[in-house]
Amino acid sequence: MTTQHLDAMLSRSPRYIDVHILQTLPFSNVNRDDLGSPKTVTYGGTTRTRVSSQAWKRPTRLAVEERIGHKARRTRRLPRQVAENLIERGWPKELAELAGTQVITSTESKLGLEDNDTTASLLFLPDNAAGLLADIAEQYRDKLEKVLGTKAATKSQLPKDAIHEILRSHNGSIALFGRMLAEIPGAGVDGAVQVAHAFTTHSTSVQADFFTAVDDVAQWATDAGSAHMNTGEYSSGVFYRYATLDLRDLTGNVTDPAMARELAGAFLTEFIQSMPSAKKNSTAPHSIPDLVHVAVRTDRPVSLAAAFEQPVRAELTGWAEPSRTALATYAARVNTLLGDNGRLHSAYAGVDDTPRETLGDRVESYPALVTGALAAAFGNGSRAA
């Protein structure tokens, strides 16, 4: 096969899965700023409500982990985790705590410890990492007992390479969402998932809610008022959500092609279904997307956020229907400008029956939408770009 033929094949290989979502949220505040108000962004000269990528990525990640059984923890308390694991095995408290700090000290890196025995940086590790590090400490218990309470306890006592191997390990969750850990060589993982900040397709304003709470303990007639009064801030609207999955990065992070397909399916499913949890008990904003459009591309990711740079205006039908129309109209223009070579697959599903051919084939359900995208990206087998 010539280099030209190989380049031609690669240029038509699936590389990205783009996910575009329009979702209506009722009166809610699923992502607050430091003052408790809904986050905002100025876009197209108007103020929109915004939900940060982190706020939507975390519930997606937790749901993916639950689905695939690959859990990971982001924490600064790894030394405490190791110590607690060893205490459960019958170690004395002081010796277990020494082992926990030695897990970091023995890396001989800039991964420093704070005064309360927490790491200076957040670590993102497979759920079983603390137990595996405790296993290493078990093998060197005699050595740790000898240095306990001496100056030698502040120096490296555990095998650096063995600890580094565990800190470099990753599972499906980390393969999808990535990890930044510059202090340990080779521990960084380029995440396959990129998630944009969601924003409303139209202008919004904060809505104040004055509320009171009554003291349930019997009140005297002269004390009939509320025990607590405050004001909460909320908004509502139609949000544009976008994410893209880099199939080449994903298959580079996992060695099993079947696992790559499973991870891709789990991410697509849970990104569609997930919801940030802030103030859920007081607003229950558990809506589903009005419209989901997926595209499998060979060339580059393509966001359709610019469809809403001019804010959608509410009609008699509200914001949702004109938002769906604006997305389809802009997608048509993008497809004309870029041509068809970069799109291997395009489809959509939504709450209405309005034909939107510019978004590809219409399917009946979101599970069917995910199934079609996986088939286009991985074929009948498990191979991807």
Side-chain angles (χ1 to χ4, degrees):
M1 182 181 296
T2 66
T3 301
Q4 289 181 332
H5 286 143
L6 180 60
D7 289 343
M9 286 181 60
L10 289 175
S11 68
R12 292 295 294 167
S13 297
R15 175 68 191 274
Y16 300 99
I17 304 179
D18 285 343
V19 190
H20 311 270
I21 298 176
L22 291 176
Q23 184 164 353
T24 301
L25 295 190
F27 186 76
S28 59
N29 186 354
V30 299
N31 188 208
R32 293 167 277 181
D33 64 17
D34 56 338
L35 299 178
S37 184
K39 289 185 177 180
T40 61
V41 61
T42 300
Y43 189 49
T46 64
T47 300
R48 322 289 184 90
T49 301
R50 173 175 60 90
V51 179
S52 69
S53 58
Q54 305 95 304
W56 227 302
K57 190 186 299 184
R58 177 174 169 78
T60 301
R61 175 174 67 83
L62 295 179
V64 166
E65 291 178 355
E66 192 68 29
R67 175 178 286 266
I68 65 176
H70 291 194
K71 295 187 177 182
R73 291 189 178 186
R74 180 173 281 112
T75 183
R76 295 175 58 198
R77 295 178 172 84
L78 182 63
R80 295 185 189 179
Q81 286 183 279
V82 174
E84 290 169 2
N85 189 297
L86 292 170
I87 290 172
E88 290 175 359
R89 302 184 190 191
W91 280 45
K93 184 173 182 293
E94 289 187 4
L95 185 62
E97 290 175 346
L98 171 61
T101 58
Q102 273 292 317
V103 161
I104 304 303
T105 301
S106 297
T107 63
E108 298 180 353
S109 69
K110 294 182 180 179
L111 194 62
L113 285 169
E114 304 288 355
D115 292 338
N116 56 355
D117 290 340
T118 58
T119 56
S121 303
L122 271 171
L123 303 178
F124 189 33
L125 300 169
D127 193 38
N128 65 345
L132 295 175
L133 291 167
D135 290 342
I136 294 175
E138 285 271 24
Q139 299 173 31
Y140 292 85
R141 178 169 180 168
D142 291 344
K143 187 175 183 180
L144 293 174
E145 287 176 335
K146 290 179 181 178
V147 301
L148 181 63
T150 70
K151 291 183 179 181
T154 62
K155 302 184 181 299
S156 174
Q157 301 295 330
L158 300 178
K160 179 180 72 173
D161 291 344
I163 294 174
H164 280 201
E165 183 178 355
I166 294 172
L167 297 183
R168 283 194 292 261
S169 66
H170 64 271
N171 58 13
S173 178
I174 298 171
L176 273 174
F177 296 99
R179 175 175 63 203
M180 178 63 180
L181 188 55
E183 293 85 352
I184 305 298
V189 178
D190 289 332
V193 168
Q194 302 168 32
V195 179
H197 288 232
F199 63 91
T200 53
T201 63
H202 50 87
S203 303
T204 59
S205 58
V206 171
Q207 304 164 53
D209 174 47
F210 172 75
F211 65 92
T212 65
V214 176
D215 191 328
D216 289 332
V217 177
Q219 296 177 321
W220 298 102
T222 56
D223 185 23
S226 299
H228 175 76
M229 295 183 292
N230 206 338
T231 301
E233 295 184 334
Y234 303 86
S235 68
S236 61
V238 178
F239 286 79
Y240 172 69
R241 300 167 50 201
Y242 169 73
T244 188
L245 177 62
D246 189 323
L247 298 171
R248 188 175 299 174
D249 282 351
L250 179 60
T251 54
N253 289 342
V254 295
T255 57
D256 182 4
M259 175 57 68
R261 183 176 189 141
E262 180 183 357
L263 291 172
F267 171 73
L268 295 176
T269 299
E270 300 305 340
F271 184 65
I272 292 171
Q273 295 185 3
S274 64
M275 173 68 69
S277 60
K279 288 190 175 288
K280 66 178 181 180
N281 288 356
S282 57
T283 60
H286 304 299
S287 64
I288 67 168
D290 306 327
L291 175 72
V292 178
H293 164 49
V294 297
V296 179
R297 303 193 62 88
T298 65
D299 49 1
R300 50 157 292 173
V302 176
S303 167
L304 299 178
F308 309 108
E309 195 271 342
Q310 178 177 332
V312 170
R313 295 185 180 277
E315 300 175 356
L316 294 177
T317 55
W319 281 307
E321 198 284 328
S323 294
R324 295 192 289 270
T325 299
L327 184 73
T329 300
Y330 183 74
R333 295 169 181 166
V334 168
N335 294 341
T336 298
L337 289 171
L338 295 180
D340 294 329
N341 288 339
R343 278 183 299 124
L344 286 181
H345 172 80
S346 184
Y348 73 97
V351 296
D352 62 24
D353 296 327
T354 303
R356 305 187 191 279
E357 293 88 351
T358 59
L359 302 181
D361 299 327
R362 186 180 189 279
V363 298
E364 292 300 318
S365 68
Y366 296 144
L369 194 66
V370 171
T371 298
L374 294 177
F378 294 90
N380 293 327
S382 303
R383 187 176 180 181

